[in-house]
Amino acid sequence: RQTGTVETDAEKHDVEYLTPISIGTPPQDLIVDFDTGSSDLWVFSTEMAAKDIKGQAVYDPNNSSTSEKLQGSTWQITYGDGSSSSGDVYLDTVTIGNLTVPNQAVEAAKKVSDEFTDDPNNDGLLGLGFSSINTVQPTPQNTFFDNVKKNLDTPLFTTDLKHGAPGSYNFGYIDPAAYIGNISWTPVDNSQGFWGFTSPGYAVGTETLRNHSISGIADTGTTLLLLPKSIVKAYYSEVQGAQYDSSQGGYVFPCSPTPPDFVFGVNNGIVTVPGDMVLYAPIDSANQNCFGGIQSDTGIGFSIFGDVALKTSFVVFDAGGLQLGWAAK
Ligand SMILES: Cc1nn(C)c(C)c1CC(=O)Nc1ccccn1
């Protein structure tokens, strides 16, 4: 039985967290976005048009003695923010930290949307959602985690994302030194292929928790905390000068003073998003006004507990117990 750990580094404003992986023989090193909100492992590849590659590392299946084309298989994915990619599929050896999966489905991109072309540091996505939403046709493929699970001491992984600093993904064990206090556990609804859960309520600043169920997903691949419009309005009503700025596509407010904390419940525990984490990023060079890290989930159908929420905590994604554990750190 094994365990593994790999460091993930924050991009500017923690917009995404990029993590090294190796594919093929000899190993080809790429840096990808681990995404608990999707279930495809896809990478920039030599099968793409040169104009769509701007600085990314690419996977070359012809340069790997262990690659094997999955004949007739294709994939196409469109994310909620409208970005997309598509291509064909190889089986090849994938290594993350000290964990290796010999016949992992590696989805080689032939096309990617501009959002990916214009993100020079990101060479692809590694889905850590449930394999039920893998997009490979005609036969959906397993995620890296689903393939490595049987070799792990226990079928779980943990995230320890940080604000402006490298964090870590651990596989197969809970590091007691990575968190403080108790872990609050809550059941996972994976019926849509996500790490879904329901928070019992929220609070703004130091007020007491309001009973208001929030159903959402724990999603490392989404930058912000996307919540029901009514909760977002309630939060920003307590932030001086906050307003919805349609040109920015969300709530903006003066970068000073620091806005109030946002607290959400997890079972009978709470998770606190400090006000300075809600200050997502300045929208002007004078750093006068800031774009909020909390925005509306309108149109998605569920809330998204993205990096703004996840980086406050040590989070356990437990596939064995089908539960999420949140702890302070
Ligand atoms: C931001 C957003 N809006 N809507 C409607 C959804 C569903 C999202 C989340 C999203 O799309 N996340 C993402 C994007 C690219 C790669 C990985 N995950």
Side-chain angles (χ1 to χ4, degrees):
R1 289 313 173 96
Q2 296 179 311
T3 62
T5 183
V6 64
E7 194 173 81
T8 180
D9 204 353
E11 287 283 280
K12 189 169 165 51
H13 301 310
D14 305 341
V15 66
E16 63 190 357
Y17 291 81
L18 300 175
T19 310
I21 66 171
S22 294
I23 308 175
T25 311
Q28 299 179 33
D29 296 332
L30 283 79
I31 298 178
V32 299
D33 181 4
F34 281 25
D35 179 17
T36 59
S38 67
S39 304
D40 285 51
L41 196 187
W42 72 262
V43 288
F44 276 67
S45 83
T46 46
E47 298 180 347
M48 290 170 60
K51 69 172 174 56
D52 292 339
I53 302 169
K54 290 183 183 170
Q56 293 83 3
V58 299
Y59 168 57
D60 179 359
N62 297 328
N63 229 349
S64 170
S65 61
T66 42
S67 75
E68 190 188 313
K69 190 158 193 315
L70 204 55
Q71 285 303 347
S73 289
T74 59
W75 60 279
Q76 191 283 327
I77 192 163
T78 301
Y79 299 97
D81 65 355
S83 59
S84 64
S85 51
S86 62
D88 51 21
V89 188
Y90 295 82
L91 297 181
D92 208 341
T93 303
V94 173
T95 296
I96 298 179
N98 60 335
L99 296 173
T100 294
V101 170
N103 296 303
Q104 173 64 45
V106 178
E107 302 172 31
K110 297 175 89 167
K111 289 181 181 172
V112 303
S113 64
D114 288 347
E115 293 87 350
F116 292 111
T117 295
D118 297 340
D119 182 359
N121 303 313
N122 186 14
D123 307 331
L125 263 75
L126 186 135
L128 290 171
F130 291 85
S131 298
S132 56
I133 55 172
N134 175 268
T135 75
V136 174
Q137 289 300 326
T139 313
Q141 301 294 303
N142 280 346
T143 64
F144 175 88
F145 176 59
D146 264 355
N147 286 329
V148 81
K149 223 162 46 173
K150 55 185 170 301
N151 306 331
L152 296 177
D153 284 0
T154 178
L156 62 81
F157 64 89
T158 67
T159 67
D160 181 7
L161 305 182
K162 296 185 184 208
H163 177 50
S168 49
Y169 283 84
N170 294 343
F171 293 87
Y173 72 106
I174 293 175
D175 177 0
Y179 67 93
I180 57 175
N182 297 320
I183 298 177
S184 296
W185 295 99
T186 189
V188 161
D189 163 13
N190 65 351
S191 60
Q192 305 303 309
F194 300 120
W195 291 91
F197 70 102
T198 297
S199 165
Y202 74 96
V204 181
T206 55
E207 68 184 25
T208 52
L209 216 68
R210 306 180 201 197
N211 292 322
H212 185 130
S213 275
I214 308 169
S215 286
I217 67 171
D219 183 1
T220 56
T222 293
T223 310
L224 305 182
L225 172 51
L226 305 177
L227 293 169
K229 196 172 182 175
S230 59
I231 294 181
V232 175
K233 276 181 68 125
Y235 176 80
Y236 286 115
S237 70
E238 304 198 29
V239 178
Q240 299 151 338
Q243 58 180 2
Y244 185 85
D245 179 339
S246 47
S247 70
Q248 294 291 329
Y251 281 86
V252 299
F253 51 88
C255 297
S256 179
T258 301
D261 295 350
F262 178 81
V263 176
F264 62 92
V266 173
N267 202 344
N268 44 28
I270 59 165
V271 173
T272 299
V273 180
D276 65 359
M277 299 270 196
V278 181
L279 278 174
Y280 175 66
I283 59 170
D284 53 67
S285 50
N287 289 6
Q288 293 301 314
N289 284 308
C290 277
F291 192 78
I294 292 174
Q295 298 293 344
S296 169
D297 66 9
T298 302
I300 302 175
F302 45 83
S303 293
I304 301 189
F305 293 84
D307 300 331
V308 162
L310 294 164
K311 65 186 158 182
T312 66
S313 302
F314 173 79
V315 185
V316 185
F317 292 71
D318 179 1
L322 212 43
Q323 57 179 1
L324 274 171
W326 294 71
K329 59 191 182 191

